[in-house]
Amino acid sequence: QVQLVESGGGLVQAGGSLRLSCAASGSIKRINAMGWYRQAPGKQRELVATITSGGSTNYADSVKGRFTISRDNAKNTVYLQMNSLKPEDTAVYYCKLDMTVLFSKYDYWGQGTQVTVSS
């Protein structure tokens, strides 16, 4: 009933930029937060950035100053502007929706989009 559609991944040279988007659709209730996570081969999935419905943001130390998360609440869409990309940013990026329904919290995940940064 809830779908997250991600787009914007691809191949980019080091120092370049990409803009990821994730649009949530379906039975959307109270959104607590949306965010981006990433997972590189052989590594655990890690938080990249989150943004609450009120606009508060949180970033991993590794992306502070380079990535910017934003949202369009009317469209239930979250964006991740990635600048000054580094090869170590290469990973599958996943969108996550944190939603409350009748006081119960649910996490929804997108399918993931590959970001590859070449040196």
Side-chain angles (χ1 to χ4, degrees):
Q1 293 183 346
V2 175
Q3 299 85 40
L4 300 177
V5 180
E6 298 164 301
S7 62
L11 175 65
V12 66
Q13 293 185 150
S17 298
L18 285 173
R19 182 177 173 86
L20 306 182
S21 64
C22 173
S25 63
S27 184
I28 306 300
K29 306 300 180 182
R30 178 183 176 183
I31 296 176
N32 303 314
M34 298 185 73
W36 292 94
Y37 294 71
R38 67 187 182 187
Q39 187 169 21
K43 296 184 178 180
Q44 293 185 329
R45 187 173 299 184
E46 65 176 351
L47 181 148
V48 177
T50 60
I51 184 166
T52 69
S53 294
S56 297
T57 59
N58 184 47
Y59 296 92
D61 288 342
S62 59
V63 307
K64 288 181 179 178
R66 300 188 297 118
F67 291 10
T68 302
I69 189 169
S70 61
R71 90 292 187 196
D72 184 337
N73 288 341
K75 297 181 179 180
N76 293 322
T77 299
V78 64
Y79 305 92
L80 185 68
Q81 179 67 45
M82 304 185 294
N83 298 326
S84 301
L85 282 162
K86 304 174 180 179
E88 50 262 46
D89 295 318
T90 296
V92 177
Y93 284 70
Y94 297 90
C95 176
K96 190 186 83 169
L97 168 66
D98 175 2
M99 188 171 68
T100 294
V101 181
L102 297 176
F103 304 100
S104 296
K105 295 181 179 180
Y106 299 87
D107 288 342
Y108 299 89
W109 293 89
Q111 79 285 352
T113 184
Q114 178 70 47
V115 171
T116 302
V117 184
S118 62
S119 61

